[in-house]
Amino acid sequence: MLLALLLQPALASEQVVPYRTNEPIHVDGVLDEPAWQQAPVIKGFSRYSPDTGTPDPLPKARIIYDDQAIYVAFEVRANGKAPLKKDLVSRDKTNMQDFVGVMLDTFGDGQRAYAFRVTPAGVQADGIYVEGDHIWMHGLSYDTVFESAGQSTDEDYVVELAIPFRSLSYRNLPAQSWGLVLTHFTPKPWGINAWPPLTRDVSGALQQAATLGPIHPPAPKLNLELQPTLVGGASFESGGEPSSQTLDPGLSARLGLTSALTASLAVNPDFSQIEADPDKVTANVKYPLFYEEKRPFFLEGADLFETPIQALYSRSIADPSVGYKLTGRGGGWAFGGMGALDEAPGPSTISMDYATGEELPGWDEDTVDSRRALIHVARLRRELAGGSSVGVLATDKELIGEDSTLANRVGAVDAAAQIGEQVRVYAQGLYSQTDLEDGQSLEGPAWSLQVNRSAQKMKVELSHFGVSSGFRAENGYLQNVGRTGGDLKVNLHLSDVGPMRYLGPGARTQATFDMSGNLVSAYAGPSLEGMPGDATYFQTGGGYQREVYQGREFDLWKFRGHASVRPISDTLFALGWRIGPQPHYDAENLEDLYRGFSWRGDLGVNQNLLDRLDLEYRIITERFSRDPTSATIYNT
């Protein structure tokens, strides 16, 4: 019975058979080619969030394809309630613009999908949707090549997309079926529409995807992309004479061996032109800062290596002189391999037991100094129907020095199971072994279990984890070792409550213990989010927190939130806040360790001028002091 539940097929109540054409298609936002009139019209979009029902306006779509690309056209008639948002914004900055979207699950297994978005002005956004993400707020770091164009008036707009088959991975079959979800977003009134109609009574969007097919994509062929770089620099003396000169060439290459197998190679790559990281406050922080990956080499197939306990954090590879990656899918299997030679490896992210203040054995600054790191990662996952899967992961990091080589090795197994329509379970078990400089070694297990239940009016998330004192993941990201604990979150989703268009009360409780059963931290408190109208949103929450830091117990509370309002179509105001006591984490000794007071304010204004100029003003301030009325210790 359980096996039947795990192997149940993805839901596919709708089907679209795309029209195949041999005519040239011009992507201009004008559907004047005869093939568009032969394509079936997709109707019946339904409101998905924040409420449910028939959307206004009601979009429709058509899909055709040829030997080069698959083409999708949307026709959306404006509702007249608010001016159409058709500004010329930056690529991927489309979250508060009108847009239409296409999600393609090219392997039809309910695991992941390519996601493409286009605004009425033709601005593109693309990324990878992984089952469990929000269909509106999923990651957009992944970029590929596709064409788009939009034509709009005050009453309606047409968007046309051309997605080349060479930009997609898919099975090597002459005829196949893909999962398909179409989306339409309006910022005022705020709403997400979807086809086929999606419901929160089913866990995940891809489990409800329509079937696109049969479709006959072209036979696989080699696809080579090269990205050469050349970085130079020079220093000059005060008299104008050059004191040093550098010339640093590099090359990144991506080779599509088949439609489902991709190899990447990087030799002395230069990542200096990748999008800059957001500014983060580095004063009085407890854990190492986490940064999102934005480098194309590491983004290829990145979702395959993601697991609940993050055994691979690619940003830990700081300065690779050479790297390789191989990712592929086929026959119900997904696999990947990656390696790199890092010229500037960092120390262990875990160096101290925060509760006791004791130093933990590991790789410190002296250990990694003057060493290079050789890194290898291997991943294999069996993908089952209905979004379930079973996988294994192995990582190895070796610090290479003149006197010795130290290694950290991690082996892991994981599984995701879709049980019925509403329950999704994730489980992971890991074991590591780490060499230390004194000839000793560390070893130990870690584990994670998550159970999520989704329903139309309520979502419940329950998790448990454990990380033994000897566990290390030097290729990954850890905040604590020697800990076990759990987390419970409950959120309601209520529509049309009095004057509120949407209201979402919730609560969370969390507790963490050391391996002897002593409480290290705990939190309990309510939360609330809602939409008082079509253009106003707020989210807030707070609660009580108990924390043990360097042997001292702290009773804390926190209050934080976010609110935004769009008084007119072209202007958005946003305010974020965080207030409450906080330990002085930067204390150099126990005498300086005390409970201080921290607050953060974030005020932003976004304006679109003349449909071609996007201005953003942002003021962020963060303050830490002994108490709310005393002198500031940190102010950023």
Side-chain angles (χ1 to χ4, degrees), residues 33 39 141 176 178 292 364 400 450 459 488 520 557 629-630:
E33 293 88 357
S141 295
Q176 49 192 281
W178 297 353
E292 181 183 4
D364 57 19
I400 303 171
Q450 300 177 15
K459 182 176 183 179
L488 173 64
V520 173
W557 58 267
T629 61
S630 63

Side-chain angles (χ1 to χ4, degrees), residues 381-420:
R381 187 172 69 195
R382 176 62 176 175
E383 299 181 336
L384 309 174
S388 300
S389 65
V390 179
V392 295
L393 174 70
T395 74
D396 175 67
K397 184 172 185 176
E398 300 188 15
L399 291 181
I400 303 171
E402 295 182 357
D403 52 346
S404 65
T405 298
L406 306 177
N408 167 253
R409 301 177 180 91
V410 179
V413 296
D414 61 272
Q418 184 71 34
I419 302 177

Side-chain angles (χ1 to χ4, degrees), residues 42-371:
I42 301 172
K43 300 180 179 179
F45 280 73
S46 178
R47 179 78 76 187
Y48 174 67
S49 182
D51 46 14
T52 58
T54 302
D56 180 18
L58 187 63
K60 57 183 180 180
R62 292 180 171 89
I63 302 178
I64 61 178
Y65 75 104
D66 57 20
D67 290 336
Q68 284 75 44
I70 182 167
Y71 305 87
V72 185
F74 289 86
E75 299 172 84
V76 182
R77 188 162 188 84
N79 57 20
K81 294 180 180 179
L84 184 66
K85 292 295 292 174
K86 51 183 179 180
D87 309 309
L88 191 63
V89 295
S90 302
R91 182 187 174 99
D92 289 340
K93 306 297 185 182
T94 60
N95 273 350
M96 294 311 297
Q97 299 289 315
D98 286 85
F99 69 74
V100 292
V102 181
M103 294 167 56
L104 294 175
D105 178 6
T106 54
F107 288 84
D109 53 22
Q111 301 283 346
R112 67 194 286 272
Y114 293 96
F116 303 91
R117 298 177 180 175
V118 180
T119 74
V123 178
Q124 299 180 347
D126 50 358
I128 298 294
Y129 169 88
V130 178
E131 190 69 313
D133 291 346
H134 195 289
I135 63 173
W136 179 60
M137 292 297 293
H138 62 76
L140 296 174
S141 295
Y142 179 81
D143 292 320
T144 189
V145 177
F146 71 104
E147 292 184 73
S148 63
Q151 296 286 343
S152 62
T153 68
D154 291 337
E155 297 181 352
D156 55 28
Y157 68 89
V158 175
V159 165
E160 193 174 2
L161 297 82
I163 305 170
F165 286 110
R166 60 184 175 85
S167 294
L168 303 172
S169 295
Y170 49 86
R171 293 168 292 181
N172 186 16
L173 296 174
Q176 49 192 281
S177 296
W178 297 353
L180 171 69
V181 176
L182 304 178
T183 57
H184 168 232
F185 172 74
T186 58
K188 188 177 182 180
W190 194 98
I192 304 169
N193 309 317
W195 185 91
L198 303 181
T199 173
R200 287 183 295 274
D201 281 331
V202 176
S203 177
L206 297 184
Q207 308 308 309
Q208 308 173 65
T211 298
L212 177 66
I215 188 171
H216 304 271
K221 56 184 178 181
L222 291 178
N223 181 22
L224 178 63
E225 298 177 13
L226 297 176
Q227 185 179 4
T229 59
L230 182 63
V231 181
S235 299
F236 297 88
E237 302 289 350
S238 57
E241 294 294 327
S243 59
S244 64
Q245 300 180 32
T246 61
L247 198 62
D248 199 14
L251 177 66
S252 295
R254 179 183 180 274
L255 179 63
L257 300 171
T258 70
S259 61
L261 182 63
T262 301
S264 300
L265 178 67
V267 179
N268 194 30
D270 173 53
F271 296 126
S272 63
Q273 299 305 312
I274 304 302
E275 181 182 353
D277 292 316
D279 292 333
K280 294 191 176 185
V281 176
T282 58
N284 206 48
V285 294
K286 180 177 179 180
Y287 298 117
L289 297 179
F290 181 90
Y291 290 96
E292 181 183 4
E293 182 59 84
K294 299 179 180 180
R295 299 171 291 180
F297 174 82
F298 294 104
L299 287 173
E300 179 71 40
D303 61 286
L304 176 62
F305 298 93
E306 293 178 357
T307 54
I309 294 180
Q310 200 159 1
L312 175 63
Y313 172 51
S314 57
R315 289 296 294 264
S316 68
I317 306 174
D319 184 20
S321 58
V322 63
Y324 73 88
K325 179 181 279 190
L326 180 69
T327 58
R329 305 175 79 178
W333 294 92
F335 54 89
M338 184 178 73
L341 181 62
D342 191 358
E343 301 293 337
S348 302
T349 57
I350 301 298
S351 60
M352 182 180 73
D353 186 318
Y354 297 110
T356 64
E358 298 176 359
E359 291 188 6
L360 295 174
W363 295 349
D364 57 19
E365 292 282 358
D366 293 335
T367 303
V368 299
D369 186 40
S370 301
R371 291 179 183 260

Side-chain angles (χ1 to χ4, degrees), residues 276-614:
D277 292 316
D279 292 333
K280 294 191 176 185
V281 176
T282 58
N284 206 48
V285 294
K286 180 177 179 180
Y287 298 117
L289 297 179
F290 181 90
Y291 290 96
E292 181 183 4
E293 182 59 84
K294 299 179 180 180
R295 299 171 291 180
F297 174 82
F298 294 104
L299 287 173
E300 179 71 40
D303 61 286
L304 176 62
F305 298 93
E306 293 178 357
T307 54
I309 294 180
Q310 200 159 1
L312 175 63
Y313 172 51
S314 57
R315 289 296 294 264
S316 68
I317 306 174
D319 184 20
S321 58
V322 63
Y324 73 88
K325 179 181 279 190
L326 180 69
T327 58
R329 305 175 79 178
W333 294 92
F335 54 89
M338 184 178 73
L341 181 62
D342 191 358
E343 301 293 337
S348 302
T349 57
I350 301 298
S351 60
M352 182 180 73
D353 186 318
Y354 297 110
T356 64
E358 298 176 359
E359 291 188 6
L360 295 174
W363 295 349
D364 57 19
E365 292 282 358
D366 293 335
T367 303
V368 299
D369 186 40
S370 301
R371 291 179 183 260
R372 298 186 295 172
L374 184 61
I375 297 157
H376 296 287
V377 181
R379 174 68 161 155
L380 180 65
R381 187 172 69 195
R382 176 62 176 175
E383 299 181 336
L384 309 174
S388 300
S389 65
V390 179
V392 295
L393 174 70
T395 74
D396 175 67
K397 184 172 185 176
E398 300 188 15
L399 291 181
I400 303 171
E402 295 182 357
D403 52 346
S404 65
T405 298
L406 306 177
N408 167 253
R409 301 177 180 91
V410 179
V413 296
D414 61 272
Q418 184 71 34
I419 302 177
E421 294 184 349
Q422 295 182 331
V423 179
R424 190 166 180 83
V425 179
Y426 303 87
Q428 183 185 18
L430 310 93
Y431 198 89
S432 77
Q433 185 271 328
T434 307
D435 299 331
L436 302 179
E437 277 195 299
D438 58 6
Q440 303 296 312
S441 66
L442 297 170
E443 59 183 275
W447 60 91
S448 173
L449 177 65
Q450 300 177 15
V451 181
N452 298 340
R453 183 185 185 278
S454 296
Q456 188 68 25
K457 295 187 180 297
M458 183 173 67
K459 182 176 183 179
V460 179
E461 300 176 66
L462 177 65
S463 64
H464 167 69
F465 76 94
V467 182
S468 68
S469 299
F471 182 82
R472 298 291 188 275
E474 299 298 344
N475 286 317
Y477 180 85
L478 295 175
Q479 290 186 333
N480 278 305
V481 296
R483 299 288 185 267
T484 184
D487 196 337
L488 173 64
K489 291 189 285 186
V490 179
N491 291 96
L492 301 180
H493 191 107
L494 309 175
S495 300
D496 299 322
V497 181
M500 304 291 295
R501 185 177 171 204
Y502 156 68
L503 192 65
R508 179 184 183 185
T509 180
Q510 173 270 334
T512 302
F513 303 86
D514 64 21
M515 289 303 177
S516 298
N518 300 310
L519 182 68
V520 173
S521 68
Y523 174 83
S527 63
L528 183 67
E529 64 175 338
M531 296 185 66
D534 289 338
T536 304
Y537 170 82
F538 71 87
Q539 181 184 47
T540 187
Y544 167 78
Q545 181 175 348
R546 166 66 63 90
E547 179 177 349
V548 180
Y549 184 71
Q550 295 201 27
R552 295 189 181 181
E553 295 184 357
F554 293 92
D555 290 311
L556 311 171
W557 58 267
K558 61 177 62 177
F559 175 59
R560 56 187 173 188
H562 169 84
S564 62
V565 59
R566 187 182 292 275
I568 58 176
S569 177
D570 292 326
T571 303
L572 174 72
F573 293 95
L575 175 66
W577 63 89
R578 187 189 67 211
I579 305 171
Q582 185 181 72
H584 184 204
Y585 296 124
D586 285 349
E588 297 183 357
N589 51 62
L590 292 179
E591 288 72 21
D592 291 334
L593 178 60
Y594 54 85
R595 189 184 82 159
F597 191 85
S598 173
W599 67 269
R600 173 189 170 98
D602 185 345
L603 175 63
V605 181
N606 186 275
Q607 289 184 299
N608 298 116
L609 304 177
L610 306 175
D611 293 343
R612 291 296 182 267
L613 181 62
D614 183 36

